[in-house]
Amino acid sequence: IGAGWTWITEGFELFKKSPGMWMAIFVVYAVGYIAVSFVPFAGSIALGLVGYVFMAGLMLGCREQDEGGGLRFDHLFAGFSDNLGQLILVGVLYMAGAAFAMILGVVASGGGLLSLMSGDPAAVESTISTSVNLPVRSRPAGKTTIRF
């Protein structure tokens, strides 16, 4: 199975050393993530920019545990004090790459991807039937069925 399985088992060993703290950190991170995601547009940008900052803090906590220390709640926020600019730059580069991939998808689909994201059942049906040349029959309440 290789190095991947070793990585998972070593990570679980770190978790077993402080399961309560790991779960508390996860709950706080998840609640914060969900709360920020409710902010239209700006929330998505903020999460894209600072997600790596939080992950870096958790990596510092992992390293400290691996070296015999303990995991502390403040490890979640440790990335904000170490290399903050570089971590935010990683977020910027990730978001730029995702935007570039989305643009490529729209161009490659001839705009069909935008139709699929519109939520209009007629546009979705039309895009699917013309893109993959499969007959699509509408059902009541806007549901679609693909017949082979």
Side-chain angles (χ1 to χ4, degrees), residues 81-103:
S81 58
D82 291 331
N83 301 317
L84 178 62
Q86 292 174 332
L87 292 170
I88 289 179
L89 179 61
V90 171
V92 168
L93 293 173
Y94 174 79
M95 289 178 13
F100 181 70
M102 181 65 92
I103 291 168

Side-chain angles (χ1 to χ4, degrees), residues 108-119:
S109 70
L113 185 60
L114 294 176
S115 298
L116 290 174
M117 295 186 322
S118 72

Side-chain angles (χ1 to χ4, degrees), residues 2-62:
W5 184 251
T6 302
W7 181 76
I8 290 171
T9 57
E10 288 174 356
F12 189 66
E13 291 301 316
L14 292 176
F15 173 79
K16 289 191 315 188
K17 290 179 182 178
S18 301
M21 183 58 68
W22 277 111
M23 287 187 274
I25 288 172
F26 171 76
V27 167
V28 169
Y29 178 76
V31 168
Y33 188 94
I34 291 167
V36 172
S37 70
F38 280 116
V39 178
F41 189 68
S44 297
I45 292 174
L47 291 172
L49 292 176
V50 299
Y52 293 100
V53 178
F54 287 111
M55 291 301 112
L58 293 178
M59 293 301 295
L60 290 171
C62 289

